[in-house]
């Protein structure tokens, strides 16, 4: 999903991709990720969010139990909330 001008990720967007291991959302126009957007991604190990317009990470990181790498560079980040 890299370079697709995606602006938002809504809750349960990936509900049918439960076995996904890596998700690349780099180089989009992401500014909003709803807090349950990655709810079903129990096996996700790598999440790329670099080069977007994200100012705040307000989604629930604790639901990503298998996450090993979270790449968020080159965003205008001002706030990181961990629920």
């Amino acid at each position: 999903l890299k370079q697709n001008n995606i602006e938002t990720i809504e809750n349960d967007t990936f509900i049918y991709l439960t076995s996904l291991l890596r998700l690349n959302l780099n180089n989009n126009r992401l500014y909003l990720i709803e807090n349950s957007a990655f709810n079903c991604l129990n096996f996700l190990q790598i999440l790329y969010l670099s080069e977007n317009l994200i100012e705040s990470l307000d989604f629930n990181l604790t639901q990503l139990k298998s996450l090993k790498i979270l790449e968020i560079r080159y965003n205008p980040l001002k706030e990181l909330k961990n629920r």
Side-chain angles (χ1 to χ4, degrees), residues 11 23 33-49 54 56-72 77 79-83:
N11 288 336
L23 179 57
I33 300 172
E34 293 186 359
N35 77 358
S36 294
F38 304 118
N39 226 12
C40 302
L41 299 179
N42 297 326
F43 299 103
L44 189 71
Q45 295 179 6
I46 304 170
L47 177 57
Y48 297 107
L49 296 171
I54 301 168
S56 176
L57 282 183
D58 193 17
F59 62 87
N60 191 346
L61 287 171
T62 60
Q63 67 195 0
L64 298 172
K65 299 185 186 318
S66 298
L67 191 68
K68 295 178 181 167
I69 297 171
L70 172 62
E71 187 179 284
I72 54 174
L77 267 177
E79 187 173 32
L80 177 61
K81 297 178 184 176
N82 195 3
R83 298 171 185 252

